Amino acid sequence: MMPAEPGSTRTAASWRRALPWAALVALLVVGQTALVRLTLDYEAARAQERVEEVAADAAADLRNSLTRDQQSLQALLWNEPPLARWREGASELLRERRELVRIERRDLAFQVTSFVESPYRPPVFKQLPRADADLDAEVACASAHRLSGPVYSRSYFVPLPGGLGIELMDVCMPVLHQGEAVGYMVASYSLQGMLAESITRARTEGHELAFVEGDGTRLARSGNVARGRGVYVAQRIIDLPGTPLQLRVDSAIGKPDLIPNLATALVLGLSIALGAVVVLLVRDTRRRAEAEQGLAEALAFRKAMEDSLVTGLRARDLEGRITYVNPAFCEMVGFSPEELLGTMTEGDPPPYWPPEMVAEYTRRQRVRLAGTAPPRTGHETVFMRKNGERFPVMIFEAPLVDGHGRQTGWMSAVLDISEQRRMEELSRQQHERLQATARLATVGEMASLLSHELNQPLAAISSYATGSMNLMREGPVDAETQRMIGQALARIAEQAERAGRVIKSVHDFVRRREHVREATRVDHLLEAVMPLVRLQARKSGTRIELDLPAPPQPMPRVMCDRTMIEQVLLNLTRNAIQAMEEMPLERRVLTLRVRQTQPRWVEFAVIDRGPGIALAVAERLFTPFFTTKAEGMGLGLSLCRTVIEQHGGALLFENLPADQGGGAVFRFTLAADASAAARRAPRSDAPLAPTPDEATG
């Protein structure tokens, strides 16, 4: 062995000696840079905290000012003063509060009955009429009327002569007389005036204050401070009833200077860096020992982890020889590590390859080891256990590289998927059985629904046929009897057609298809079911009352599947009549009520005067196949709720109190016809707030 040359030895020693000094210089640079950066960040944080404090104080001042103004405005309405005294109080308030530019009194129709302008500025609605800027005030007053309290509007821009303008915001308070709203009082704020008059100037020196929108657009700013630089900015949301105000505070100072803190940072950085280098040099040897110990522990940990895996691991070199297997792989194939290590694809195939597939596996592995196979996440194949049993496996392979990044072989992860295949086959068989069961259940559901829903039209056909036969047996068939028999035959044809529609609707209902929706007047729906309802009502002595919108109110129209909604009405009315069979004759009253409660919804109510619904029955009332009748099937109310929910509505019930006559009421809602609502003329009960063109200023 040749000794090392002296020149090369000295060069290596020089590098070893220079390395700590290079580390020292690097640490000095990094330390100084970090300290300077920390100092600058500290100064920036202090400046930002100052802006946050100013923003908090300004927001508090604004809230206090608005609260005082609100109290003063409410004081104008105390004891319901006459209009002249109210004007005097409003004028005095405008002289005290410069941020207020106008105070108005309006009636319930939102017409201006009186107003007072600020004496410190020309009228703000001189160029733009007040009626053209009423929209936001109307919205605020509608909310104030509903909440019985003050509500603020969104801000809006009002142009002024000379090409300038002003941003205003209204606050609306309801004027009450004996607890009832008789009008509104609207006060208009200048956002510019709020910033100038409501915020203490001493605490906000050197900052720009502005009201901004959500996208950062400035609405108004304080005019007696320097412009902000946009470096230190704080924002506060001032929550007001009806709308929030966003206050932004922008500091007039820029980023902190570098020079005042540089000398201190350099001295401190040098001291810390020198001490750190000495400590690093002393601890270098100990760290190397700790690293070696850590490496040994990591190897032991990896070995324990590999031994605990249920996934088989197999490593091969570039020639295909097996160099490593973990216990899971050995347990999977049934061979020991000694029987597997060293085996290769060429001439000495692994013992877990099935003999009949050795040629195919050899060709496949040759392509794989050559590196020409396309990349893939995994492939499935078949292995053989030591006892000869074949089983499917999933193999995931990845290149095995050394510390220099060179590939030295392949690492494979092997999963035994025989249990997974067995579960998949079992799941497939269960799925087929479930499908067969579902088809049988669907057939049963269709049969139950058809038998339940066809009962009423078939009963009607039987009743009309029996009545016709009785008329024919009573004697000669005169013109009047022929007319009555003709009406009965027409009813029989109508109910037969209805039975056909029921079969089609129930068939579509069971198959969960979309029903045909059409705009239908509610009185037409009731007229279609009234013959059957009256027939059952006459048998039990029940009186029927219809409660529909009276003219000139238009008859509501709903979007629905007529056949299914008629079935709902028949089920509910039949249940109501049956509930009153045990009641005295004077209490057997069935009421059908229809009201358009909202522009989008129409409410139907079926009201009886029976004993009501017991609590135990109410808990299971809509459960399928639950019934309290000996001959019932328990599908009626369940079907009704499903139909109404498919129409987007809701079916509810409640017991009526004794002071209202007792009984029960079933309510359901249907969507109103939007096109009919759009053509409908405004009604007398429309909101009282006028359009902007109707108001005066």
Side-chain angles (χ1 to χ4, degrees):
M1 182 176 179
M2 298 295 293
E5 297 182 1
S8 61
T9 304
R10 285 194 298 270
T11 302
S14 300
W15 275 108
R16 285 194 298 270
R17 287 193 299 269
L19 186 59
W21 295 106
L24 174 61
V25 174
L27 286 173
L28 287 175
V29 173
V30 172
Q32 292 169 5
T33 303
L35 286 174
V36 171
R37 181 62 184 175
L38 289 173
T39 304
L40 294 177
D41 290 345
Y42 174 72
E43 294 295 331
R46 290 184 58 188
Q48 183 64 37
E49 289 176 359
R50 171 60 181 160
V51 175
E52 297 287 347
E53 292 175 0
V54 171
D57 294 338
D61 290 342
L62 285 171
R63 292 190 186 95
N64 294 335
S65 177
L66 290 174
T67 301
R68 290 194 301 270
D69 291 346
Q70 182 177 322
Q71 293 173 351
S72 299
L73 289 170
Q74 290 174 337
L76 294 178
L77 302 176
W78 288 351
N79 299 325
E80 301 178 3
L83 194 59
R85 195 171 70 185
W86 176 86
R87 290 179 58 87
E88 292 177 1
S91 300
E92 181 65 24
L93 181 59
L94 288 172
R95 284 192 294 271
E96 295 176 357
R97 302 284 194 269
R98 296 187 176 224
E99 63 270 21
L100 290 170
V101 299
R102 178 184 172 105
I103 303 177
E104 304 171 345
R105 285 287 295 269
R106 293 175 178 257
D107 56 19
L108 284 178
F110 212 69
Q111 303 294 325
V112 177
T113 58
S114 181
F115 66 91
V116 181
E117 300 275 357
S118 172
Y120 301 110
R121 61 169 64 245
V124 294
F125 295 102
K126 184 175 182 181
Q127 186 166 346
L128 176 69
R130 176 55 169 164
D132 294 340
D134 268 354
L135 179 59
D136 293 304
E138 286 183 54
V139 174
C141 287
S143 298
H145 185 273
R146 186 174 65 257
L147 301 176
S148 299
V151 174
Y152 292 82
S153 73
R154 297 187 308 173
S155 63
Y156 55 93
F157 180 80
V158 176
L160 297 177
L164 302 177
I166 185 173
E167 196 75 15
L168 299 181
M169 179 182 70
D170 296 330
V171 57
C172 181
M173 297 182 180
V175 180
L176 303 178
H177 177 69
Q178 294 182 354
E180 296 291 331
V182 298
Y184 307 100
M185 183 172 68
V186 180
S188 300
Y189 281 92
S190 165
L191 296 187
Q192 183 77 24
M194 291 172 63
L195 291 174
E197 301 295 332
S198 302
I199 300 175
T200 305
R201 297 263 66 87
R203 292 188 293 187
T204 59
E205 286 294 330
H207 298 81
E208 178 191 35
L209 283 77
F211 287 122
V212 296
E213 292 184 343
D215 58 356
T217 304
R218 184 188 288 112
L219 299 176
R221 65 176 294 272
S222 182
N224 297 326
V225 297
R227 286 278 185 176
R229 296 190 182 182
V231 178
Y232 304 110
V233 179
Q235 294 188 353
R236 290 291 185 276
I237 300 297
I238 303 174
D239 287 324
L240 300 175
T243 184
L245 275 178
Q246 189 168 352
L247 175 67
R248 185 176 68 185
V249 178
D250 193 351
S251 176
I253 64 175
K255 295 183 178 180
D257 297 327
L258 179 65
I259 299 301
N261 302 292
L262 185 57
T264 303
L266 287 174
V267 174
L268 185 59
L270 285 172
S271 302
I272 295 176
L274 289 173
V277 169
V278 172
V279 172
L280 289 175
L281 291 175
V282 171
R283 297 176 58 189
D284 179 65
T285 304
R286 184 169 54 183
R287 287 187 175 181
R288 289 188 180 183
E290 292 175 353
E292 293 175 356
Q293 182 181 358
L295 178 60
E297 293 176 354
L299 291 174
F301 178 79
R302 191 191 71 174
K303 181 66 169 60
M305 182 176 62
E306 292 173 355
D307 292 345
S308 66
L309 290 176
V310 296
T311 301
L313 297 180
R314 177 192 64 183
R316 294 177 297 170
D317 59 18
L318 293 178
E319 296 181 359
R321 282 187 294 267
I322 297 178
T323 59
Y324 170 79
V325 288
N326 71 335
F329 186 85
C330 296
E331 183 180 354
M332 186 184 303
V333 297
F335 296 96
S336 64
E338 291 76 14
E339 294 175 295
L340 298 175
L341 295 178
T343 58
M344 54 189 302
T345 58
E346 295 291 343
D348 186 16
Y352 51 82
W353 281 6
E356 69 275 8
M357 305 184 73
V358 169
E360 174 65 21
Y361 284 7
T362 301
R363 183 192 60 80
R364 185 192 303 172
Q365 293 293 358
R366 189 183 300 118
V367 175
R368 187 66 176 169
L369 294 174
T372 57
R376 51 186 173 178
T377 57
H379 63 279
E380 185 176 343
T381 187
V382 176
F383 280 177
M384 181 182 69
R385 306 189 198 275
K386 193 172 183 178
N387 60 6
E389 177 189 355
R390 273 68 168 172
F391 64 98
V393 294
M394 181 68 70
I395 302 178
F396 299 86
E397 291 188 324
L400 187 63
V401 297
D402 59 11
H404 300 285
R406 295 190 299 266
Q407 182 176 354
T408 60
W410 297 88
M411 174 61 73
S412 305
V414 183
L415 299 176
D416 184 355
I417 59 174
S418 56
E419 185 66 19
Q420 177 182 344
R421 291 292 179 264
R422 189 183 69 82
M423 295 302 297
E424 289 176 355
E425 177 63 21
L426 180 61
S427 176
R428 184 188 63 80
Q429 295 175 2
Q430 291 178 345
H431 184 65
E432 291 179 354
R433 288 196 292 269
L434 284 175
Q435 285 183 335
T437 303
R439 287 193 293 270
L440 291 176
T442 302
V443 172
E445 181 183 0
M446 181 181 294
S448 298
L449 291 176
L450 284 174
S451 64
H452 183 271
E453 297 303 329
L454 289 177
N455 183 51
Q456 291 177 341
L458 291 178
I461 291 174
S462 176
S463 298
Y464 287 127
T466 302
S468 300
M469 294 176 64
N470 292 335
L471 289 175
M472 296 175 65
R473 293 194 190 100
E474 288 177 355
V477 179
D478 54 9
E480 179 62 21
T481 304
Q482 289 181 354
R483 184 185 64 80
M484 295 176 64
I485 294 176
Q487 291 180 351
L489 292 176
R491 294 296 185 182
I492 290 174
E494 177 184 341
Q495 293 304 318
E497 180 184 359
R498 177 177 188 79
R501 293 201 309 269
V502 168
I503 293 175
K504 181 179 182 302
S505 297
V506 173
H507 178 263
D508 293 341
F509 174 73
V510 171
R511 298 184 62 183
R512 298 297 190 266
R513 291 181 177 174
E514 279 295 322
H515 296 284
V516 178
R517 307 286 173 86
E518 58 180 341
T520 307
R521 284 179 38 167
V522 296
D523 54 342
H524 293 171
L525 284 174
L526 296 178
E527 289 173 2
V529 300
M530 284 309 295
L532 293 177
V533 177
R534 291 193 180 99
L535 180 62
Q536 188 171 3
R538 282 196 298 270
K539 292 180 180 179
S540 63
T542 302
R543 188 172 75 256
I544 300 175
E545 294 182 355
L546 293 180
D547 187 356
L548 300 176
Q553 293 182 344
M555 191 64 62
R557 300 169 67 92
V558 293
M559 296 297 298
C560 67
D561 179 353
R562 287 194 57 171
T563 303
M564 297 307 294
I565 297 303
E566 290 170 7
Q567 290 302 121
V568 171
L569 289 170
L570 285 174
N571 283 334
L572 295 180
T573 54
R574 180 192 60 200
N575 291 344
I577 292 173
Q578 292 176 352
M580 295 185 291
E581 289 180 348
E582 303 299 329
M583 305 302 292
L585 283 176
E586 63 272 10
R587 286 183 55 86
R588 299 181 189 178
V589 179
L590 173 66
T591 303
L592 301 179
R593 178 184 300 161
V594 179
R595 289 290 184 272
Q596 185 156 3
T597 56
Q598 300 181 29
R600 295 180 54 221
W601 299 101
V602 176
E603 182 184 83
F604 291 73
V606 179
I607 307 171
D608 65 70
R609 299 301 177 187
I613 300 173
L615 181 60
V617 175
E619 295 176 351
R620 303 178 58 192
L621 193 59
F622 295 103
T623 303
F625 301 106
F626 171 76
T627 180
T628 58
K629 307 170 187 175
E631 72 282 1
M633 297 184 62
L635 289 172
L637 289 178
S638 175
L639 174 66
C640 291
R641 169 169 281 189
T642 303
V643 169
I644 296 303
E645 290 177 351
Q646 286 181 345
H647 281 73
L651 174 60
L652 304 172
F653 73 93
E654 63 176 326
N655 288 324
L656 295 175
D659 57 356
Q660 297 183 17
V665 55
F666 281 79
R667 295 186 177 91
F668 65 88
T669 54
L670 293 176
D673 181 17
S675 59
R679 297 190 301 267
R680 190 175 301 163
R683 296 169 53 177
S684 60
D685 58 350
L688 297 177
T691 61
D693 296 335
E694 296 172 342
T696 59

